[in-house]
Amino acid sequence: MRVDFTRAVDAVLARDTRAMFFSGDLGFQAFEELAARLGPRFINAGVAEQNMIGVAAGVALTGLSVWVYSIAPFATLRCLEQIRNDVCLHDLPVRIVGNGGGYTYGIMGSTHHALEDLAALKALPNMQLFFPCSNSHVAAAVEAMHRLRGPSYLSLAISGFASDAPALAEHGETLTRLYRRRSAEGGVTIIGAGHAAQIVLSALGVGLAGVNCDIFGIARFPLRLDLDHDLVRSVAETGRVLFLEEHYAAGGIGESMRLALGASAREFVHLAPVYSRDQKYGSAAFHLRQSGMTPERVTELAAGLAAGAGA
């Protein structure tokens, strides 16, 4: 998603001359042209994320807006106090971008995995979160962030089970995507948060295509179910939800979705990563398999829920 982000933010910064871009000494072979075009509006803040957020907040207080970029856990967890105190409590237009959501950085280990970033940030006042489902979803998220007057966070990721299948529809405000419609009454509603939607789409090739299901990809928090009419209608009709996210369940988007749906989701199965002290390290796909987050598992769970709907 980094390449797509670079293109999208380049277009935004070309239009908005009162915006700056800060990098935490990252973006090699990605930001060189952007830096050349922006000149003094591009600042390499070094490997000093807490300072970078504080400086960005100070710049924003002058009336400018700032995009801040680093690896996801470094852009969020390492400088959470500065995000809270300097950015969110002052409701400043600082757009934080974390590259490497979920297990993207794979073999580099848990220091580089981002499985708690959304949980840490969603509790902060004024913060809005964006987590695109695929490469083709990134530009819409960047444009939505650009329109905001307060703080926001963008999670960029590469799925271990990549699929950029086209959406049937995309909501212009919530960015929620509809990927597949049920073929009959009953069935199950499958919701993927961010790039976890790609696991669901990959499952279409291993049996999910034969399951009666609606497939949605959500990409924004706070949730706006008052606008996501297709999703709400689907859950009301199926009563059964399979929710996936490449983020720990505690504090994740799934918890909020379950609360928001209320009694309309009579069954809610939440598939998310699990931590074990004995876990091994490998590629993003390896970690997903280790957590049971595979296309095959999605098909199995969805088929079980759909069968229950027909009972």
Side-chain angles (χ1 to χ4, degrees), residues 1 4 132-141 163-167 170 177 179:
M1 291 183 181
D4 301 270
C133 295
S134 65
N135 294 341
S136 62
H137 213 186
V138 174
S163 172
D164 202 1
E170 180 178 321
R177 286 182 158 185
Y179 286 104

Side-chain angles (χ1 to χ4, degrees), residues 11 72 77 99 105 121 131 152-153 163 179 191 203 224 232 241 245 259 274 279 291 298 300 304:
L77 304 181
N99 189 37
Y105 276 101
L121 296 179
F131 31 95
S152 54
Y153 172 67
S163 172
Y179 286 104
I191 305 171
R224 291 296 308 273
V232 171
V241 175
E245 61 181 320
L259 286 171
V274 292
Q279 69 187 16
S291 289
V298 170
E300 178 186 354

Side-chain angles (χ1 to χ4, degrees), residues 11 17 71 80 91 109 120 165 168 177-178 224 227 235 239 246 249 260 273 303 309:
T17 58
I71 294 174
L80 186 60
D91 197 16
L168 299 177
R177 286 182 158 185
L178 170 64
R224 291 296 308 273
L227 298 177
V235 174
E246 200 171 316

Side-chain angles (χ1 to χ4, degrees), residues 5-190:
F5 165 72
T6 303
R7 291 172 182 156
V9 79
D10 193 1
V12 165
L13 290 165
R15 301 194 311 266
D16 184 2
T17 58
R18 293 184 61 77
M20 299 185 68
F21 191 100
F22 290 5
S23 170
D25 200 27
L26 293 166
F28 176 66
Q29 292 187 333
F31 292 157
E32 286 81 1
E33 292 184 7
L34 178 66
R37 278 191 288 274
L38 292 178
R41 291 197 289 144
F42 184 102
I43 294 179
N44 184 341
V47 185
E49 293 83 3
Q50 293 146 316
N51 181 67
M52 180 167 64
I53 292 293
V55 173
V59 169
L61 282 170
T62 71
L64 304 179
S65 62
V66 187
W67 293 81
V68 174
Y69 178 96
S70 187
I71 294 174
F74 308 159
T76 57
L77 304 181
R78 180 174 290 172
C79 46
L80 186 60
E81 180 182 5
Q82 286 72 28
I83 294 173
R84 175 186 181 272
N85 295 348
D86 299 348
V87 176
C88 290
L89 295 183
H90 293 87
D91 197 16
L92 294 175
V94 175
R95 291 97 185 220
I96 302 165
V97 182
N99 189 37
Y103 288 123
T104 295
Y105 276 101
I107 195 65
M108 298 190 77
S110 52
T111 57
H112 284 58
H113 296 165
L115 302 166
E116 314 93 346
D117 54 337
L118 303 182
L121 296 179
K122 66 190 282 233
L124 299 182
N126 301 311
M127 176 62 77
Q128 297 202 35
L129 310 179
F130 294 82
F131 31 95
C133 295
S134 65
N135 294 341
S136 62
H137 213 186
V138 174
V142 169
E143 289 290 345
M145 292 172 70
H146 173 63
R147 292 192 294 269
L148 297 176
R149 296 184 177 180
S152 54
Y153 172 67
L154 174 65
S155 172
L156 302 175
I158 298 175
S159 176
F161 296 103
S163 172
D164 202 1
L168 299 177
E170 180 178 321
H171 195 288
E173 179 67 21
T174 68
L175 307 186
T176 295
R177 286 182 158 185
L178 170 64
Y179 286 104
R180 189 173 188 265
R181 295 186 187 276
R182 286 170 294 144
S183 56
E185 293 184 359
V188 58
T189 304
I190 305 178

Side-chain angles (χ1 to χ4, degrees), residues 203-263:
L204 290 172
V206 290
L208 186 62
V211 177
N212 185 27
C213 62
D214 287 337
I215 299 176
F216 294 90
I218 63 170
R220 188 167 182 175
F221 185 89
L223 303 174
R224 291 296 308 273
L225 296 189
D226 56 317
L227 298 177
D228 274 333
H229 304 302
D230 285 345
L231 189 154
V232 171
R233 185 182 306 111
S234 174
V235 174
E237 292 173 356
T238 67
R240 292 167 169 83
V241 175
L242 173 57
F243 189 97
L244 281 79
E245 61 181 320
E246 200 171 316
H247 183 286
Y248 288 142
I253 304 301
E255 282 189 346
S256 297
M257 179 62 77
R258 187 170 195 168
L259 286 171
L261 291 173

